[in-house]
Amino acid sequence: MTTFKAMVVEKTDSGTRAALADFDEANLMDGDVTVRVEYSCVNYKDGLALTGKAPVVRRFPMIAGIDVAGTVESSSHAAWKAGDKVILNGWGLGESHLGAYAEKARVKGDWLVRLPSSMSAREAMAIGTAGYTAMLSVIALERHGLTPASGPIAVTGAAGGVGSVAIALLSKLGFTVNAVTGRAAEADYLKSLGASEIVERAALTGPVKMLAKERWAGGIDAVGSTTLANLLSMTRYGGAVAACGLAGGMDLPTSVAPFILRGVCLYGIDSVMCPLPRRQEAWKRLETDLDRPKLAAMTREIGLNDLPDVAAAIVAGQVRGRVVVKIG
Ligand code: NDP
């Protein structure tokens, strides 16, 4: 029997429990590529899976972890061979397919993206699903036609993972970025990533007006609920908002007014089932358009043992930037 260490979520009488366990390689699920995992990371969804705060795990036992960076160990898939450096984001990993917090992952070759040549596995996981989602969001705003000349862009959930990468990307692309945060103490951090103005979270959590004073050309929203509704009502004529998160709630108490009276567009961003060509485009852009020193400054590293504590912190909105998990 060949076993390896893994962070496994089990079902219990009262809910779920996550703990480090020895996992038998023979119990890995079907797939045509086996990857030696070098790094993973902690996303909000990983926090939900590990704490059991929301039912994201749909199979038990489950190895948690939605993001992998590592090296192909063996492959029967035409596109991949032993030694290839790869990234995997989503596709149900850590939810319905055994995930990333383990020394090995067996996956479908169709799910993999090649690690950009100038990027390390650790850097790819410092980006992770959060950063790749930030990139998808920026691309959506660009496709809408927004440019730095359009006006300032608001980023909500600014000090979190999606928010931090979104700020760094937008500022490198020349946009004026307003960071919306509940953590005033992170103002210097957010400015160091490229935010020109810090907006208190409270400015977007009050009662939602159908139309408020036009403030931003666009937005990237990781929070949802009242925050997204207020952001829409404050978006300028012809602007656009990319909605990617629900850290503040799943609801959306808005009206049609921003859409039909100001022509505002709301773009939905999904990273999990996003088609491969869009992923490849996003990772190509991340290689060139994300400032690596800023990425390093927003990232800290933990081991598998630290996952339960960090999971609790991320669902409580207390993690700043990105957390990579060193594996193997
Ligand atoms: P983080 O926890 O790192 O960031 C979330 C941030 O949201 C927090 O840091 C905090 O920022 C803010 N926040 C937290 N709770 C609240 C609240 N109750 N009200 C208002 N703001 C709050 O998570 P991630 O960046 O990893 O993910 C952000 C969101 O995006 C999550 O909901 C996640 O599920 C979603 N997501 C969606 C993806 C997709 O495919 N659509 C992919 C990746 C993530 P601050 O302290 O600065 O206010």
Side-chain angles (χ1 to χ4, degrees), residues 131 134-135 138 164-175 193 285-286 289-291:
M135 188 75 247
V138 170
S164 294
V165 178
I167 293 167
L169 284 168
L170 288 166
S171 96
K172 174 143 184 178
L173 293 166
F175 286 91
L193 296 180
R285 289 284 306 273
L286 284 160
D289 294 352
L290 181 59
D291 187 282

Side-chain angles (χ1 to χ4, degrees), residues 44 133 157-162 181-183 201 222-223 244-247 269 271 314:
Y44 190 82
T133 300
V162 172
T181 184
R183 288 183 269 179
R201 184 193 288 176
V223 174
C244 63
L246 47 59
I269 306 299
S271 64
I314 201 166

Side-chain angles (χ1 to χ4, degrees), residues 42-46 48 53 66-67 128-134 136-137 155-165 167 179-184 186 189-190 199-201 205 221-225 227 243-249 268-274 313-323:
V42 185
N43 299 281
Y44 190 82
K45 190 186 270 178
D46 296 313
L48 294 177
K53 197 179 165 206
I66 67 170
D67 280 326
T129 283
Y132 138 70
T133 300
L136 291 174
S137 303
V155 174
T156 67
V162 172
S164 294
V165 178
I167 293 167
V180 183
T181 184
R183 288 183 269 179
E186 299 299 352
Y189 163 75
L190 295 166
V199 178
E200 274 205 38
R201 184 193 288 176
T205 52
D221 176 59
V223 174
S225 190
T227 298
C244 63
L246 47 59
I269 306 299
D270 169 59
S271 64
V272 179
M273 303 305 291
C274 177
I314 201 166
V315 295
Q318 289 163 358
V319 167
R320 182 177 95 174
R322 297 282 301 141
V323 179

